[in-house]
Amino acid sequence: MSAHAELLREFDTNGYVILRDVLDAAEVSRLATVVGENTHKILDKRGKSPDERALVLDFLGFDEGLVDLVDHPRLLPVVAAILGSNIYLYHTHWCVAPSLSGQTFPNRQHFLHAHNDAADASAEVIGADTFWRWHRDGGQINNELGPHPQPRLSLKAGVFLTDLSEPSGGNMAVVPGSHKRDVPLPCAGAPADAGVEILARAGDVVVFDRRLIHSSSPNLSSRTRMVLFYGYSYRWLRPRDEMTVERYLDSASPVRRQLLGATSSAYAYSSPSWKDVPLAEWLAASGNVAGPLEEL
Ligand SMILES: O=C(O)CCC(=O)C(=O)O
């Protein structure tokens, strides 16, 4: 079996797969600086403490280097092999989790919309266990689409900018195989033994199915933990944040324009012509199978 086929088999079985060493140390360091500086600025602008955890949505506008990951040659073939070619990036968020050592409770964690501060929210943190929040992605999709297992619909790629090769550093935790099972979510606050903590190094990318039960976790290490999350879905599913990307469109390649949401018409979201999905041609040219396109 090829390495690519093995990755896809692992994803299908477990609901997630780790792509190792996608970014080198210099790329990680540059992106970590972008994330750190911009999180600090946005917290400061909104009058929040820099010591509190911040999830920042709609981050692409902060730096072109963040956009370069959207069609990264290690990532895109995996994403497109799973979802097909009629896809786009429907959501981004990063999570910056400062060390909890020395912090006092209660404090707050923040959900900040980079370009829509009216939508910002904060939640109380009463203790480290508050950070265990088991869920499947997609919000109301989970309630409105019938019982699980539901259709996949989307996936996320988590780009790790911090070394999390040991547990308890704010690792992402998952319940392997839960994407295909109608199992209840562990209670809020239930710790890692409800699932497993992912051990990823800085530069690794974790690709995971929307339906996979997963959780954030407390950062009991001494350093700040940073992860970028890129959400891919079908072009007919609505974006999950403002997707502020206009400034990149003119200079983007055809595949990148598709992934950033360009379309020839609203009709073409669900009935694309070939010009709407250059990714199909890109996949075929790179020897990968393109997703099926219906006749117009
Ligand atoms: O930050 C984490 O480890 C988990 C991220 C998460 O829950 C999500 O992206 O839905």
Side-chain angles (χ1 to χ4, degrees):
M1 195 184 277
S2 71
H4 182 68
E6 179 56 33
L7 285 177
L8 298 177
R9 193 201 56 76
E10 212 180 305
F11 179 87
D12 186 52
T13 305
N14 295 328
Y16 71 101
V17 68
I18 306 178
L19 313 182
R20 297 287 182 189
D21 300 322
V22 172
L23 302 184
D24 64 26
E27 290 168 315
V28 167
S29 161
R30 198 182 103 63
L31 289 174
T33 302
V34 168
V35 172
E37 287 180 357
N38 283 292
T39 303
H40 198 275
K41 269 191 217 155
I42 197 168
L43 283 167
D44 190 50
K45 211 163 148 191
R46 313 273 166 97
K48 315 287 185 202
S49 158
D51 296 332
E52 293 173 330
R53 186 182 289 219
L55 189 145
V56 177
L57 298 97
D58 188 18
F59 64 58
L60 289 179
F62 285 120
D63 191 275
E64 189 135 19
L66 298 162
V67 185
D68 289 338
L69 299 188
V70 167
D71 50 12
H72 192 285
R74 289 276 312 281
L75 176 61
L76 188 54
V78 176
V79 172
I82 296 166
L83 291 177
S85 57
N86 190 33
I87 61 172
Y88 80 122
L89 192 78
Y90 84 124
H91 182 39
T92 60
H93 68 84
W94 71 46
C95 175
V96 174
S99 163
L100 288 178
S101 66
Q103 286 197 27
T104 52
F105 299 107
N107 59 33
R108 302 194 76 75
Q109 63 174 323
H110 307 289
F111 304 87
L112 306 174
H113 295 246
H115 303 282
N116 180 9
D117 57 359
D120 287 355
S122 294
E124 190 177 44
V125 178
I126 53 173
D129 284 354
T130 310
F131 291 109
W132 293 104
R133 288 177 54 252
W134 296 95
H135 63 284
R136 304 178 196 262
D137 280 343
Q140 275 300 104
I141 291 173
N142 292 291
N143 302 327
E144 292 170 356
L145 216 59
H148 279 278
Q150 294 180 339
R152 178 182 295 123
L153 293 185
S154 69
L155 59 77
K156 270 188 198 151
V159 180
F160 284 69
L161 301 180
T162 309
D163 178 33
L164 290 160
S165 50
E166 300 289 332
S168 305
N171 304 49
M172 179 177 160
V174 299
V175 181
S178 54
H179 61 308
K180 289 187 176 172
R181 298 202 311 267
D182 188 8
V183 286
L185 299 177
C187 303
D193 53 9
V196 295
E197 290 191 47
I198 291 184
L199 304 182
R201 299 183 297 256
D204 290 351
V205 173
V206 177
V207 180
F208 60 101
D209 191 303
R210 168 190 80 82
R211 304 163 297 176
L212 182 73
I213 296 177
H214 61 282
S215 178
S216 52
S217 72
N219 179 4
L220 306 178
S221 77
S222 56
R223 37 166 204 250
T224 297
R225 171 268 206 195
M226 295 179 184
V227 186
L228 304 166
F229 291 96
Y230 291 78
Y232 296 83
S233 183
Y234 296 100
R235 294 171 67 251
W236 36 259
L237 193 81
R238 291 177 75 86
R240 197 149 157 76
D241 63 54
E242 274 64 26
M243 283 292 299
T244 309
V245 295
E246 289 75 15
R247 78 179 174 98
Y248 300 117
L249 289 177
D250 281 351
S251 59
S253 71
V255 167
R256 189 172 287 190
R257 274 177 59 77
Q258 172 188 334
L259 293 173
L260 294 180
T263 192
S264 61
S265 69
Y267 183 80
Y269 287 131
S270 47
S271 287
S273 63
W274 287 102
K275 66 178 180 299
D276 291 300
V277 284
L279 179 58
E281 238 177 275
W282 181 89
L283 276 174
S286 59
N288 292 286
V289 180
L293 272 192
E294 281 184 14
E295 292 299 317
L296 277 176

